[in-house]
């Protein structure tokens, strides 16, 4: 009964919408690690010539190694006996949220590591200034004011709503400049984006994504992010786990393969999100010896670019 309640609350927590699903692709795992393949872009159409002109993709692979994680909570039997306001059920719900919020921690840590550590196959940081992915020409995805002038705001940690709208649209415009080795646009069909912001920008973001008219200091102007004429669908999230106060992250989300992978091993007997729940309640040897209810959550998972 207790185990079923934990699984029920876990299912509710996993189903909650959020930025995790927008920026990462879930992947099941049946081993300690899994290997993934990256292909470069397919060949373009050309005038037909005699003989076959076959282009074969450049293949690169990366491996994600699962790590084991656990969470355990012991609830003294006397607390269960004295619980008059059903705090126990609320606590169960909070316990069940932890595996879901754990993905936020893993992905946030990965994002921030990507700005400082060489973890890409081309030898550059994931967010870097000289990417040579497969056979592509050099690309910059660690974008600054040198690439997008609108990033040069008055106060980097607290852009105004107008500045925030301009810099987001400026970065989206920069996205569309990426080309492959065939000089073809990479993102020309994409129109949905997600912006991840530090908590210091929450107030400006609420206005930038919620008001059709914005105060620009001398009057009002239409908000191109939410107006009827906007071509893009841009969502945002405030990530309180980010340590930088001045860096924002922009993701293309209308694509089959997101910018990150979240991998979870399929543990026998596990439930939603491949989380295994174990409980030792009334009637168990553990409960008799320790006079407490024990709830344990286990998972084996990894994240990567």
């Amino acid at each position: 009964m207790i185990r079923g309640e934990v699984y029920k609350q876990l299912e509710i927590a996993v189903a909650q919408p959020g930025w995790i699903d927008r920026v990462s692709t879930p992947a099941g795992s049946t081993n300690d690690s899994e290997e993934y393949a990256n292909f470069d872009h397919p060949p373009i159409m050309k005038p037909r010539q005699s003989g076959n002109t076959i282009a074969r993709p450049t293949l690169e692979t990366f491996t994600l190694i699962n790590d084991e994680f656990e969470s355990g909570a012991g609830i003294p039997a006397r607390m269960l006996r004295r619980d008059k306001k059903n705090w126990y059920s609320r606590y169960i719900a909070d316990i069940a949220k932890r595996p879901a919020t754990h993905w936020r921690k893993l992905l946030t840590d990965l994002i921030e590591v990507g700005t400082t550590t060489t973890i890409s196959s081309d030898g550059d940081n994931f967010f870097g200034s000289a990417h040579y992915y497969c056979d592509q020409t050099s690309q910059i995805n660690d974008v600054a004011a040198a690439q997008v002038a609108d990033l040069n705001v008055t106060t980097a940690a607290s852009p105004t709503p107008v500045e925030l709208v301009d810099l987001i649209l400026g970065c989206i415009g920069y996205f569309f400049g990426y080309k492959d080795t065939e000089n073809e646009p990479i993102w020309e069909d994409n129109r949905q984006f997600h912006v991840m912001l530090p908590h210091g920008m929450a107030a400006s973001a609420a206005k930038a994504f919620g008001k059709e008219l914005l105060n620009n200091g001398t009057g009002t102007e239409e908000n191109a992010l939410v107006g009827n004429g906007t071509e893009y669908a841009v969502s945002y999230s405030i990530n309180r786990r980010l340590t930088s106060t001045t860096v924002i992250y922009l993701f293309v989300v209308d694509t089959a393969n997101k910018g990150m992978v979240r991998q979870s091993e399929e543990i026998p007997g596990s439930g939603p999100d491949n989380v295994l729940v174990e409980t030792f309640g009334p009637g168990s040897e553990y409960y008799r010896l320790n006079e407490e209810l024990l709830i344990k959550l286990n998972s084996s998972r990894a994240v990567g670019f």
Side-chain angles (χ1 to χ4, degrees):
M1 179 178 177
I2 297 171
R3 186 167 178 261
E5 180 64 19
V6 177
Y7 273 134
K8 177 182 176 182
Q9 294 297 330
L10 177 60
E11 187 174 9
I12 293 173
V14 171
Q16 294 298 313
W19 60 262
I20 295 174
D21 289 317
R22 294 191 182 106
V23 305
S24 66
T25 301
S29 170
T30 56
N31 302 290
D32 292 338
S33 64
E34 301 291 343
E35 187 176 65
Y36 297 86
N38 276 335
F39 291 86
D40 56 2
H41 291 269
I44 62 173
M45 300 291 288
K46 297 179 180 179
R48 186 173 181 177
Q49 300 176 351
S50 59
N52 293 325
T53 302
I54 305 297
R56 293 176 175 83
T58 301
L59 175 65
E60 293 177 349
T61 62
F62 66 94
T63 301
L64 292 184
I65 302 174
N66 292 315
D67 288 322
E68 295 187 0
F69 299 92
E70 66 176 3
S71 174
I75 306 174
R78 66 180 184 278
M79 293 181 65
L80 295 176
R81 292 194 305 267
R82 299 168 183 173
D83 183 12
K84 305 300 183 183
K85 295 187 177 181
N86 205 27
W87 292 111
Y88 160 74
S89 294
R90 301 179 193 182
Y91 189 62
I92 292 294
D94 289 339
I95 292 173
K97 290 178 183 177
R98 291 305 190 187
T101 58
H102 183 234
W103 284 122
R104 299 176 195 168
K105 173 177 171 51
L106 292 179
L107 290 170
T108 301
D109 290 347
L110 178 66
I111 288 169
E112 295 201 312
V113 164
T115 65
T116 59
T117 306
T118 302
I119 56 177
S120 297
S121 56
D122 59 6
D124 196 10
N125 297 343
F126 180 80
F127 296 106
S129 57
H131 274 300
Y132 291 90
Y133 174 68
C134 292
D135 285 337
Q136 294 174 12
T137 54
S138 178
Q139 310 284 359
I140 300 172
N141 67 346
D142 184 11
V143 179
Q147 290 77 42
V148 178
D150 289 317
L151 288 169
N152 187 19
V153 299
T154 303
T155 305
S158 182
T160 67
V162 169
E163 288 176 330
L164 192 56
V165 169
D166 289 343
L167 70 87
I168 290 171
L169 293 176
C171 288
I172 290 175
Y174 188 84
F175 260 66
F176 290 126
Y178 292 136
K179 294 184 177 181
D180 60 23
T181 51
E182 303 283 0
N183 207 35
E184 287 286 295
I186 298 175
W187 303 111
E188 65 178 330
D189 294 323
N190 300 92
R191 293 295 182 271
Q192 297 179 26
F193 302 86
H194 184 78
V195 183
M196 184 180 294
L197 305 166
H199 72 273
M201 300 183 188
S204 289
K207 296 177 181 178
F209 285 88
K211 300 185 68 174
E212 293 190 4
L213 294 177
L214 298 175
N215 188 336
N216 59 17
T218 59
T220 59
E221 62 179 72
E222 290 188 8
N223 184 350
L225 271 183
V226 300
N228 293 328
T230 183
E231 186 179 358
Y232 315 116
V234 186
S235 59
Y236 82 99
S237 60
I238 302 299
N239 188 346
R240 294 160 183 82
R241 300 173 186 271
L242 293 173
T243 58
S244 173
T245 61
T246 60
V247 178
I248 72 170
Y249 299 90
L250 178 65
F251 302 89
V252 177
V253 297
D254 55 340
T255 177
N257 295 317
K258 313 294 186 183
M260 295 176 285
V261 176
R262 63 182 196 276
Q263 172 180 289
S264 58
E265 185 178 352
E266 299 166 4
I267 304 174
S270 61
D273 215 13
N274 294 321
V275 176
L276 178 65
V277 176
E278 297 177 288
T279 59
F280 302 87
S284 69
E285 186 71 6
Y286 179 91
Y287 189 89
R288 185 182 67 82
L289 294 174
N290 298 278
E291 295 187 341
E292 72 173 11
L293 163 66
L294 176 63
I295 301 173
K296 293 184 64 178
L297 285 73
N298 300 275
S299 67
S300 178
R301 50 180 54 172
V303 294
F305 291 115

